[in-house]
Amino acid sequence: YMGEYSKLKSAMRIQPFQNPTTATPEEVGRYWDVIRNAIEQIYNKNHGDLSYEELYRNAYNMVLHKQGEHLYDQLQKAVQAHTRDVIAVRVMKTNDDDSLLTVLRAEWNDHNTSSSMITDIAMYLDRTFVIRMRKIPLRELFLKIFRSEVVECSKIEPRLTSKLLSLVDTDRKGMLIDRELFKAITTMLCACNVYDKLFESHFEQASTAFYTLEAQKLLRTCTCSEYLRVVNERIEQEKIRVDCCLDPSTEPKIIKILEQTLIQDHIGTLMDMESGIVHMFEHNLLEDLKLTYKILSRVPQGVAELKARMKIFVEAHGKAIVTDSEKKEDPIVFVQSLMDLKDRFDTVVHVAFVDENTFRIVLNQAFESFINIESRSAEYLSLFIDDLLRRGIKERTTDAEVESKLDKVMMLFRFLQDRDLFEHFYKSHLAKRLLHGRCASDDVERTLIGKLKVECGNQFTSRLEGMFKDIQVSQELSGVFRSRQRLNFDFNINLITSGFWPNIENVSCTLPSELNEVCQGFKKFFLEKYKGKCLTWHTNLGNGEVNTRLNGHSYDLLVNTHQMVVLLLFNTRQQWTEDELLTRTSIPEADLKRQLMSLCAGRQKGKVRAKK
């Protein structure tokens, strides 16, 4: 089959088209009369009985007989005459502007339908002659005619523009309009390529005037939050209006007008209002702050202004805390106040300012600017940590709760410039906690040291870690020593390496014989285990628990070593003079007086434990 098809194909030849003789004027006239009559029927909407095949053939013959120019001109004249003398007149005869848009939409739809039919009839003309002669395509030509004769008519254009702007104003005032009709008209203007000229440019001018006036009214009658809510609503309304009524290209233009007239021009005024940004910060109005950020982020320098105002506010409140004499009297209140301020604005940044990093940077800068004003900030932070870790035992606070607070303290620590001073105080407080057994949790203590290592490096925490290692070794040695001795009381030793622990004044005393004997035994045990080392007793760093009976009740007295030595002397005599105590205990006079005052000042909370 393929071979026979190839032979048949090679035998076929397409003969060149033989140009017929030119049609006579009478024939051309008959062709055009048929087409013209059909156009009249189309415009009169009586085209149901027309034969489009016959009409197409007539237009084809005119082009075939070199009458394309004639046909093109006649079609243009016919459409232009009907558009000018019928359509434009109908639109101009509308009695009021309300019916203007309705009539114009109907005429536009009819014109499109008629133009489509006429273009179909002259399709051969459009596809050959028009292209060859570089004429305007028929659909485009008919559109141009409608634009010039109707839309741009001097008696129609001003009314059309005015009516559209009036409807926009009505819609902005909350009254109902026919948005579908409005959209049909703006679609027509876009199709005619006059949307900007006849509507959009006027719309922008009217919108600028409208919102400039509205801004002035709102500023006189609204609070800052109310104003911003109206702005937000207006922006959403304009987006909906563009979507329902206008061309999409208008949206960025009208939004820019709103941003300029309602926001950019009044940033300073809004911020300085009595109900402005300071009011929002003072009353922690997160939703209002969130809206403020949303609105101001739409304009240049809006966010920058908001950050500047936040920094000023935080710095002012921070300085008020660090310079408050009452707060400085209580380090716990001092640090807690700073933590509360930081927590508060961390929430503001997270919730209201969508966690934007630049706000966090500004917040940190504000804290750094005032926290170092108070020279004792480092000491107060260490005291706060010390109190927190001690209270963890008394208040039965969980490790997770304590660690959460420590994280907040570390945030403040990052703002300290003199971290060496903090290390000095922290090491001193840690030493007391470790030596007196007042750590809430070793795990929490080690966690905090790990946080400090991350912030400051190994060198900063190496001594702190050495202190913990000393305590661990002390517990192991004390256990081994107790297992070798027969003691009628508990005995624990804390070994402190001089290079790790803070420089502590060595205030020693003469221990009771039974206690001194045990201490000497431990010294011998230690030196046998660690040959070449030196062991020095710091009795002022120790503590003890003394049991006594008073008025038929048993009490446990929690005292330091020097107080314990004094109390044990009263087992032998009921009265001792100060000079006698100095001689028997070898405690320096100033320290002895302090201890005696402490013992004689009455019951101290936490120092005496009653036993049933």
Side-chain angles (χ1 to χ4, degrees):
Y1 294 110
M2 290 300 296
E4 293 179 2
Y5 174 74
S6 298
K7 293 178 182 179
L8 179 62
K9 183 178 179 181
S10 62
M12 295 174 61
R13 294 287 186 273
I14 297 177
Q15 298 296 324
F17 178 76
Q18 300 294 325
N19 288 329
T21 57
T22 304
T24 63
E26 291 77 12
E27 290 176 320
V28 172
R30 285 197 301 273
Y31 294 149
W32 170 244
D33 287 341
V34 173
I35 296 173
R36 182 183 58 199
N37 180 64
I39 292 174
E40 292 176 357
Q41 297 303 315
I42 290 172
Y43 281 138
N44 292 329
K45 301 182 181 180
N46 294 324
H47 49 78
D49 296 332
L50 294 177
S51 172
Y52 285 92
E53 181 180 356
E54 178 185 354
L55 294 170
Y56 179 85
R57 191 181 306 115
N58 279 272
Y60 173 82
N61 286 332
M62 289 187 71
V63 176
L64 195 63
H65 290 91
K66 300 182 179 180
Q67 296 300 313
E69 184 77 36
H70 179 66
L71 176 60
Y72 186 88
D73 291 341
Q74 291 300 321
L75 288 173
Q76 180 178 356
K77 291 177 181 178
V79 172
Q80 189 165 12
H82 179 81
T83 304
R84 180 184 63 246
D85 300 336
V86 179
I87 297 178
V89 171
R90 287 176 185 166
V91 175
M92 285 187 286
K93 283 185 177 180
T94 52
N95 296 325
D96 55 75
D97 290 340
D98 290 335
S99 60
L100 171 67
L101 301 186
T102 303
V103 172
L104 185 57
R105 177 177 62 177
E107 294 297 338
W108 166 250
N109 291 336
D110 289 346
H111 172 79
N112 282 333
T113 302
S114 302
S115 297
S116 180
M117 293 180 179
I118 296 171
T119 302
D120 288 344
I121 292 172
M123 185 182 299
Y124 187 72
L125 173 73
D126 221 17
R127 292 182 175 180
T128 56
F129 173 79
V130 169
I131 295 176
R132 186 174 67 251
M133 302 304 295
R134 298 182 179 178
K135 296 280 189 178
I136 300 175
L138 293 179
R139 287 297 296 270
E140 187 178 337
L141 176 65
F142 299 158
L143 182 63
K144 184 178 178 181
I145 291 172
F146 187 88
R147 180 181 67 197
S148 61
E149 298 295 342
V150 179
V151 178
E152 294 181 329
C153 175
S154 60
K155 295 182 179 180
I156 297 175
E157 178 183 329
R159 290 178 60 195
L160 175 59
T161 301
S162 176
K163 180 58 181 176
L164 291 176
L165 295 178
S166 175
L167 288 176
V168 170
D169 188 65
T170 300
D171 193 31
R172 284 172 174 162
K173 292 177 180 177
M175 293 179 278
L176 293 177
I177 65 169
D178 189 341
R179 291 188 168 185
E180 184 179 353
L181 175 60
F182 200 116
K183 182 68 173 180
I185 298 301
T186 55
T187 301
M188 177 199 73
L189 296 179
C190 290
C192 294
N193 199 27
V194 292
Y195 177 78
D196 176 67
K197 173 189 172 187
L198 264 67
F199 173 74
E200 190 176 55
S201 59
H202 302 282
F203 171 74
E204 291 177 12
Q205 295 175 5
S207 298
T208 300
F210 177 86
Y211 284 115
T212 299
L213 183 61
E214 176 163 282
Q216 296 171 357
K217 292 179 180 178
L218 292 174
L219 288 172
R220 289 195 300 267
T221 59
C222 295
T223 64
C224 181
S225 299
E226 291 170 345
Y227 181 95
L228 294 173
R229 280 193 282 272
V230 172
V231 172
N232 191 53
E233 290 172 1
R234 283 301 194 184
I235 291 173
E236 295 304 318
Q237 289 171 3
E238 290 297 338
K239 288 181 178 179
I240 294 173
R241 185 172 296 110
V242 170
D243 185 57
C244 297
C245 302
L246 310 179
D247 186 73
S249 64
T250 302
E251 181 173 323
K253 301 173 185 177
I254 183 59
I255 296 302
K256 185 176 181 180
I257 290 173
L258 265 70
E259 291 171 348
Q260 183 65 43
T261 56
L262 296 181
I263 307 173
Q264 185 70 49
D265 291 347
H266 306 289
I267 291 179
T269 303
L270 291 169
M271 295 294 98
D272 293 333
M273 290 175 71
E274 185 178 348
S275 58
I277 197 68
V278 172
H279 174 79
M280 296 179 193
F281 283 142
E282 285 180 343
H283 295 84
N284 204 33
L285 304 178
L286 294 179
E287 289 302 317
D288 289 345
L289 288 168
K290 186 175 183 179
L291 178 61
T292 302
Y293 172 80
K294 178 182 178 181
I295 298 300
L296 293 186
S297 63
R298 305 185 68 95
V299 299
Q301 301 303 313
V303 171
E305 181 68 19
L306 186 56
K307 286 188 289 189
R309 298 295 179 123
M310 184 187 78
K311 185 177 183 182
I312 293 171
F313 183 90
V314 173
E315 286 180 345
H317 280 64
K319 288 177 182 177
I321 292 173
V322 299
T323 57
D324 188 327
S325 57
E326 292 184 3
K327 286 185 171 63
K328 287 195 291 185
E329 290 178 359
D330 188 341
I332 310 307
V333 174
F334 179 90
V335 175
Q336 188 62 55
S337 298
L338 292 177
M339 288 170 55
D340 291 343
L341 182 64
K342 187 66 167 61
D343 279 347
R344 176 179 162 192
F345 275 87
D346 278 340
T347 302
V348 169
V349 172
H350 177 70
V351 175
F353 302 153
V354 297
D355 223 9
E356 185 176 324
N357 189 52
T358 57
F359 278 92
R360 293 209 174 276
I361 294 173
V362 168
L363 181 59
N364 292 343
Q365 291 172 346
F367 266 79
E368 188 173 356
S369 70
F370 63 74
I371 201 170
N372 293 289
I373 292 176
E374 172 53 55
S375 60
R376 300 183 66 187
S377 292
E379 180 184 1
Y380 290 164
L381 279 180
S382 181
L383 285 169
F384 183 90
I385 294 172
D386 184 61
D387 178 76
L388 177 63
L389 295 180
R390 289 171 182 265
R391 285 190 292 110
I393 300 173
K394 300 176 183 177
E395 300 178 2
R396 297 182 180 178
T397 308
T398 65
D399 287 358
E401 292 171 336
V402 173
E403 188 170 345
S404 175
K405 285 197 172 184
L406 290 178
D407 285 336
K408 296 177 181 179
V409 174
M410 288 303 299
M411 294 178 68
L412 298 181
F413 171 77
R414 295 187 183 103
F415 306 131
L416 287 179
Q417 294 175 352
D418 194 349
R419 296 187 176 185
D420 290 338
L421 186 60
F422 172 85
E423 180 191 13
H424 167 75
F425 289 113
Y426 178 77
K427 189 163 60 172
S428 176
H429 295 144
L430 174 62
K432 292 178 181 179
R433 290 198 300 274
L434 291 176
L435 294 176
H436 298 156
R438 294 175 181 174
C439 293
S441 166
D442 286 348
D443 290 338
V444 174
E445 293 277 5
R446 293 181 186 278
T447 299
L448 177 58
I449 291 176
K451 296 178 187 295
L452 291 171
K453 180 184 289 188
V454 172
E455 293 294 329
C456 307
N458 294 333
Q459 186 176 359
F460 187 88
T461 59
S462 59
R463 295 179 181 177
L464 304 178
E465 292 170 334
M467 292 165 66
F468 268 97
K469 186 176 180 180
D470 280 351
I471 295 299
Q472 183 179 357
V473 171
S474 299
Q475 292 171 349
E476 294 173 356
L477 288 179
S478 295
V480 174
F481 177 74
R482 284 197 305 270
S483 67
R484 298 181 181 182
Q485 304 291 320
R486 292 183 179 181
L487 304 176
N488 57 1
F489 55 88
D490 289 336
F491 181 79
N492 291 286
I493 291 293
N494 285 322
L495 295 168
I496 57 176
T497 304
S498 58
F500 295 149
W501 296 74
N503 294 325
I504 303 173
E505 183 183 2
N506 183 11
V507 182
S508 60
C509 70
T510 301
L511 298 173
S513 58
E514 64 270 29
L515 185 57
N516 185 60
E517 182 180 345
V518 176
C519 290
Q520 294 304 316
F522 180 83
K523 182 175 182 180
K524 181 180 179 182
F525 163 77
F526 176 81
L527 295 177
E528 287 177 354
K529 186 173 182 63
Y530 298 99
K531 291 181 171 48
K533 288 198 173 184
C534 178
L535 189 64
T536 303
W537 294 97
H538 288 259
T539 56
N540 58 309
L541 300 180
N543 58 78
E545 185 175 315
V546 179
N547 178 263
T548 186
R549 293 188 65 83
L550 293 172
N551 300 324
H553 295 280
S554 179
Y555 296 93
D556 285 338
L557 306 180
L558 306 179
V559 294
N560 60 48
T561 302
H562 289 183
Q563 290 173 336
M564 179 182 67
V565 169
V566 172
L567 290 173
L568 290 177
L569 288 176
F570 285 88
N571 284 334
T572 58
R573 284 168 47 182
Q574 291 187 355
Q575 293 183 352
W576 290 86
T577 66
E578 181 182 343
D579 291 337
E580 291 174 332
L581 290 175
L582 281 170
T583 303
R584 290 293 299 269
T585 64
S586 300
I587 299 174
E589 184 177 0
D591 187 57
L592 178 61
K593 288 183 177 181
R594 266 198 315 273
Q595 306 304 338
L596 292 175
M597 286 297 296
S598 177
L599 291 171
C600 297
R603 177 179 174 180
Q604 299 183 30
K605 184 178 180 182
K607 294 287 186 179
V608 180
R609 182 168 60 217
K611 297 181 69 176
K612 295 181 180 179

